[in-house]
């Protein structure tokens, strides 16, 4: 049985707006899902930085949009000073280290402002053009993100066989982007073509993005989903119940190595062992051609209480938020500019 899809029940995850003369970011606080669908509207750039750090806004493309929005909100705030501009932009770009989309978005917004002469104008006392350019750029990044996801979905759906049972890890869905999603965008597009029989969502320890977010969003969209604990995917594959794996990415290096949520690497090893195709879906804003391979990707380490809510005297915790899947475990990388074998990605993107 294949699924029909209704995306009308999915919220916009992040959106940059003008409200009562203020530049604001409107976002879904993802810490509260699936229990509560709460929208936060803020004109406080430090609140946006904090939301990124605590995973109120999460997912590589979504934190890129939020980062660009934070730049625009900063520029529109009369309480900020141009003396602090560089430090503030750096603080936003550094809110989380692994997903390159965040720094990419901040740098793109600042480059647009520089080219428009808006940074010079602001240093000479006229802040209005800076606020305007940064706002326009944040809106453009958000719109382009959704368009990229839809293009990726169309390319990715071509790889999916009718009747497929899919496995995904973490949440690379609409909630991780402006709208539609990357890995789940591929699933939505394939489901619209009647190709998806079922989706298995890894729970995704320690923060449960699969159990809380992927399951919720697929159910909202009407795609049949089953949650499994992370340690069950080997048995699921051995039982012949997975036809393809599709995941998102936080950073892809020149050789095709891919950082994504911790646990992705293990799923890729399992997929290889069982002869199951393993796809990565990500926009080109996730590709970092400045890094030769995945060993150079900074991996965020998060606090111990995410793993052990109650500390135990004498017990240490290691909590890396991401791991790197080597390119040779990846069947193909799906981008908005086409599908590439990992080894062909850099050349295919024209670099
Ligand atoms: O720590 P998170 O929840 O931000 O991690 C998110 C992921 O690892 C996603 O798979 C990745 O950002 C791709 S989102 C389209």
């Amino acid at each position: 049985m294949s699924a029909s899809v209704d995306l009308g029940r999915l919220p916009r995850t992040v959106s940059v707006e003008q409200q009562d003369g203020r530049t604001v970011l409107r976002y879904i606080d993802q810490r509260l899902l699936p229990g509560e669908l709460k929208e936060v509207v803020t004109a406080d750039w430090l609140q946006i930085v904090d939301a990124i750090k605590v995973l109120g806004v999460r997912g590589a493309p979504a934190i890129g949009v939020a980062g660009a929005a934070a730049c625009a909100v900063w520029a529109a705030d009369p309480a900020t000073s141009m003396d602090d501009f560089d430090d503030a932009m750096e603080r936003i770009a550094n809110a989380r280290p692994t997903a390159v989309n965040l720094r990419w978005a901040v740098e793109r917004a600042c480059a647009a402002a520089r080219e428009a002469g808006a940074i010079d104008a602001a240093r000479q006392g006229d802040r209005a053009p800076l606020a305007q350019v940064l706002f326009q750029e944040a809106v453009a990044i958000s719109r382009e993100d959704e368009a990229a996801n839809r293009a990726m979905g169309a390319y990715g759906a071509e790889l999916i066989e009718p009747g497929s049972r899919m496995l995904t890890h973490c949440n690379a869905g609409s909630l991780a982007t402006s709208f539609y999603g990357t890995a789940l965008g591929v699933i939505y597009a394939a489901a619209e073509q009647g190709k998806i029989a079922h989706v298995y969502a890894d729970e995704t320890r320690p923060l449960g993005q699969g159990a809380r977010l992927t399951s919720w969003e697929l159910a909202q969209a009407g795609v049949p989903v089953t949650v499994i604990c992370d340690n069950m995917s080997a048995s699921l594959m051995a039982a012949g119940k997975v036809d393809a794996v599709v995941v998102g990415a936080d950073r892809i290096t020149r050789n095709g190595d891919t950082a994504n949520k911790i646990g992705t690497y293990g799923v890729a090893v399992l997929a290889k062992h069982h002869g199951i195709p393993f796809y990565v879906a990500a926009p080109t804003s996730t590709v970092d051609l400045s890094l030769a391979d995945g060993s150079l990707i900074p991996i965020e380490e998060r606090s111990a209480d995410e793993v052990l809510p109650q500390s135990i005297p004498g017990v240490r915790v290691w909590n890396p938020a991401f791991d790197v899947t080597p390119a040779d475990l990846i069947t193909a990388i799906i981008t908005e500019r086409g599908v590439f074998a990992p080894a062909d990605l850099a050349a295919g993107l024209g670099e």
Side-chain angles (χ1 to χ4, degrees):
M1 197 187 76
S2 59
S4 68
V5 186
D6 175 11
L7 296 180
R9 293 176 54 156
L10 292 180
R12 289 205 79 79
T13 309
V14 276
S15 107
V16 200
E17 299 171 12
Q18 295 293 333
Q19 199 181 76
D20 305 324
R22 298 179 316 163
T23 300
V24 299
L25 176 69
R26 181 188 292 275
Y27 68 91
I28 304 298
D29 187 340
Q30 298 190 40
R31 291 171 301 172
L32 306 178
L33 284 170
E36 189 185 349
L37 179 60
K38 182 181 172 189
E39 219 172 45
V40 178
V41 179
T42 180
D44 178 348
W45 72 280
L46 282 171
Q47 189 180 342
I48 301 173
V49 171
D50 190 57
I52 293 171
K53 283 179 195 277
V54 301
L55 276 54
V57 178
R58 52 146 298 280
I63 66 175
V65 174
C71 301
V73 165
W74 183 93
D77 181 349
T80 59
S81 155
M82 277 312 281
D83 292 343
D84 302 327
F85 177 74
D86 292 338
D87 286 348
M89 297 302 111
E90 204 47 35
R91 191 159 167 188
I92 296 166
N94 281 331
R96 293 188 76 190
T98 303
V100 74
N101 306 63
L102 176 56
R103 178 165 290 277
W104 167 86
V106 171
E107 286 179 357
R108 173 174 154 174
C110 290
R114 200 173 307 112
E115 278 158 30
I119 296 178
D120 286 343
R123 292 200 198 283
Q124 284 154 27
D126 182 7
R127 286 278 286 270
L130 181 63
Q132 195 188 0
V133 177
L134 291 176
F135 172 72
Q136 285 167 346
E137 205 60 24
V139 170
I141 288 170
S142 175
R143 286 203 185 121
E144 287 169 30
D145 175 51
E146 181 180 344
N149 294 336
R150 290 184 185 274
M152 237 179 284
Y155 280 122
E158 290 174 22
L159 304 171
I160 307 301
E161 299 292 336
S164 283
R165 295 151 305 168
M166 308 292 296
L167 174 69
T168 190
H169 190 75
C170 193
N171 172 266
S174 192
L175 287 167
T177 65
S178 299
F179 195 71
Y180 203 74
T182 59
L184 295 194
V186 170
I187 287 174
Y188 292 138
E192 271 158 6
Q193 297 171 13
K195 289 176 165 178
I196 299 295
H198 205 83
V199 180
Y200 291 96
D202 275 347
E203 173 189 27
T204 317
R205 280 277 292 154
L207 293 179
Q209 288 91 333
R212 295 186 302 108
L213 305 176
T214 295
S215 65
W216 179 83
E217 97 162 63
L218 288 173
Q220 291 289 310
V223 179
V225 57
T226 297
V227 173
I228 60 168
C229 298
D230 296 328
N231 50 7
M232 296 170 185
S233 50
S235 295
L236 192 73
M237 290 183 189
K241 292 187 175 173
V242 179
D243 299 301
V245 179
V246 62
V247 298
D250 290 85
R251 196 183 295 229
I252 303 173
T253 55
R254 214 160 55 225
N255 68 341
D257 288 352
T258 295
N260 191 49
K261 176 55 53 193
I262 189 77
T264 304
Y265 174 31
V267 178
V269 172
L270 291 171
K272 183 84 161 185
H273 179 76
H274 291 93
I276 296 167
F278 182 92
Y279 299 115
V280 170
T284 49
S285 54
T286 301
V287 178
D288 183 354
L289 294 173
S290 76
L291 300 185
D293 64 58
S295 67
L296 301 167
I297 298 174
I299 300 294
E300 175 183 11
E301 293 203 12
R302 295 185 62 87
S303 73
D305 59 9
E306 291 180 350
V307 175
L308 280 185
Q310 201 170 356
S311 67
I312 306 168
V315 174
R316 295 181 198 174
V317 168
W318 181 48
N319 184 17
F322 303 94
D323 58 24
V324 175
T325 299
D328 62 357
L329 297 180
I330 298 170
T331 310
I333 297 175
I334 304 159
T335 77
E336 78 278 20
R337 288 171 55 188
V339 178
F340 301 97
D344 299 337
L345 180 71
L349 296 180
E351 304 286 338

